[in-house]
Amino acid sequence: MHDELLSLDCPAVFIGHLPNHAVDSVKLDDFGGGRQMGEYLAGKGHRRVAHVTGPVFFKEAMARAEGFEAGFAAGGGVVDPALKFEGSYLPPSGQAAARWLVAAHGKALPTAVFFANYLMAAGALASFHDLGLRVPDDIAVAVFDDLPQLEFVRPRLTRVGSSPQVLAERATAMLLDRLSGEVTGPVRSEVLACTLSPFDT
């Protein structure tokens, strides 16, 4: 799909990671956002944190995972491979991760779990409730995403990311720059910083 952009004869902006730099692009700082969360959880005193990643074949998912592990270790946390679960970014894998966590580590649960996106966290919240676990009393939940609907989720989740609106607005501005002729020349690749929104984690 990415290579098809090479043949475009009109201005375009790609939202996300674009390895071939065919057109202008804008994406989140996935590594930096993951690192922020790792540092934050370690700073709050968490030393054993489960980590539900996105699929390993997604570059962005691995950047989030690597950033989280780097930040958590730098803050004094212990990165334990036995507490890592590869998810699919979809709610059923969040449910599966919650069940796995209780089955494998129920006698010594980590104090928190970090999900690589909101959909998996939503699935896990349902399973934790069904399994009789209280969030955040029994286990805290943190997530990489900053979607508007998170404002309506209870308990409030500590999150890191940026609103899709911010990405869309920047992509639109970059496109208008090209259409107006204000910007010409080499392809631009911009990376937007993530914002950490802490709650009771």
Side-chain angles (χ1 to χ4, degrees), residues 29-38 64 114 144 160-161 194 196:
D29 182 1
D30 292 287
F31 182 91
R35 185 178 180 93
Q36 278 183 274
M37 184 62 79
R64 293 178 186 186
F114 174 50
F144 194 118
V160 68
C194 294
L196 181 75

Side-chain angles (χ1 to χ4, degrees), residues 4 11-12 19 46 61 140 162 172 177 188-190:
E4 293 177 1
H46 295 284
S162 183
T172 301
D177 287 344
R188 298 169 294 171
S189 298
E190 295 192 5

Side-chain angles (χ1 to χ4, degrees), residues 3-197:
D3 288 341
E4 293 177 1
L5 296 173
L6 293 168
S7 61
L8 280 181
D9 60 357
C10 63
V13 179
F14 185 87
I15 297 178
H17 176 66
L18 185 60
N20 65 4
H21 303 289
V23 297
D24 290 341
S25 64
V26 59
K27 68 174 185 175
L28 283 181
D29 182 1
D30 292 287
F31 182 91
R35 185 178 180 93
Q36 278 183 274
M37 184 62 79
E39 291 175 344
Y40 172 78
L41 291 177
K44 293 289 288 185
H46 295 284
R47 291 297 175 264
R48 291 180 66 246
V49 174
H51 183 194
V52 182
T53 73
V56 296
F57 51 82
F58 284 166
K59 182 179 177 66
E60 294 92 335
M62 291 302 94
R64 293 178 186 186
E66 291 164 7
F68 173 75
E69 292 180 359
F72 192 56
V78 176
V79 177
D80 184 352
L83 292 174
K84 183 184 289 188
F85 184 97
E86 181 185 348
S88 68
Y89 273 158
L90 298 175
S93 70
Q95 292 178 299
R99 292 193 295 268
W100 159 79
L101 194 56
V102 173
H105 302 281
K107 294 183 179 179
L109 280 176
T111 56
V113 54
F114 174 50
F115 290 90
N117 83 336
Y118 164 66
L119 291 176
M120 294 192 297
L125 286 174
S127 286
F128 284 145
H129 174 82
D130 293 344
L131 292 167
L133 292 178
R134 298 166 301 163
V135 176
D137 297 336
D138 296 320
I139 188 167
V141 173
V143 60
F144 194 118
D145 257 337
D146 196 6
L147 305 178
Q149 53 264 45
L150 281 167
E151 290 298 317
F152 305 100
V153 173
R154 297 295 183 273
R156 302 294 293 273
L157 304 181
T158 289
R159 60 189 190 264
V160 68
S162 183
S163 166
Q165 179 179 337
V166 173
L167 281 166
E169 288 176 348
R170 183 57 196 142
T172 301
M174 293 172 73
L175 181 59
L176 291 174
D177 287 344
R178 291 287 187 187
L179 291 171
S180 68
E182 184 177 336
V183 171
T184 59
V187 167
R188 298 169 294 171
S189 298
E190 295 192 5
V191 180
L192 301 186
C194 294
T195 299
L196 181 75
S197 300

